[in-house]
Amino acid sequence: MKIAIGNDHAAVEMKMELKKYLEELGHEVVNFGTDTEESCHYPDFGEKVGRAVVAGEADCGVLICGTGVGISIAANKVNGVRAAVCSDTTTAHLVKEHNNANIIALGARIVGIETAKDIVKAYLDAEFMGGRHQTRIDMIHEIEKRN
């Protein structure tokens, strides 16, 4: 699987460790984030990952900032993105199963690296259930069309 990853200055260390972990699992990781701790703006990286996922340049995305919230909000401004902040494995697999989230976001100041690895693995191992959940995804797409 090809995974786009993006981060701001608060999440450089976690990004590097998750990138290595994902590659060890056999995934190709495309880095859209910063590699320095110099202050930068998370919306830039949320948008880059969002656009890459929607364009089909990556199968899904992982975003990381201090809380995961700001970067996910930025990504969700890209039509077609369904980014969800995850702080536990249950949420991670449910956002894929029920919401067909194509990006997950993590907070480097919220979860530790081992929990982050578990969250990413739970998300990647989950499958969209379709059915009534697809109806809701279709409703989300209709909202996007009205914007």
Side-chain angles (χ1 to χ4, degrees), residues 4 58 68 90 98 104 118:
T90 300
H98 291 195
I104 59 168
D118 292 343

Side-chain angles (χ1 to χ4, degrees), residues 36-108:
T36 73
E37 294 181 3
E38 184 178 330
S39 184
C40 59
H41 305 295
Y42 61 78
D44 294 334
F45 306 110
E47 180 183 8
K48 287 178 184 179
V49 169
R51 292 201 184 284
V53 169
V54 170
E57 297 168 14
D59 299 303
C60 64
V62 175
L63 292 170
I64 320 158
C65 67
T67 63
V69 175
I71 203 164
S72 69
I73 290 171
N76 277 317
K77 298 301 179 183
V78 177
N79 279 348
V81 168
R82 289 177 308 284
V85 179
C86 299
S87 298
D88 60 81
T89 57
T90 300
T91 302
H93 75 80
L94 286 173
V95 300
K96 176 63 89 50
E97 289 178 356
H98 291 195
N99 310 109
N100 203 16
N102 48 15
I103 297 175
I104 59 168
L106 306 166

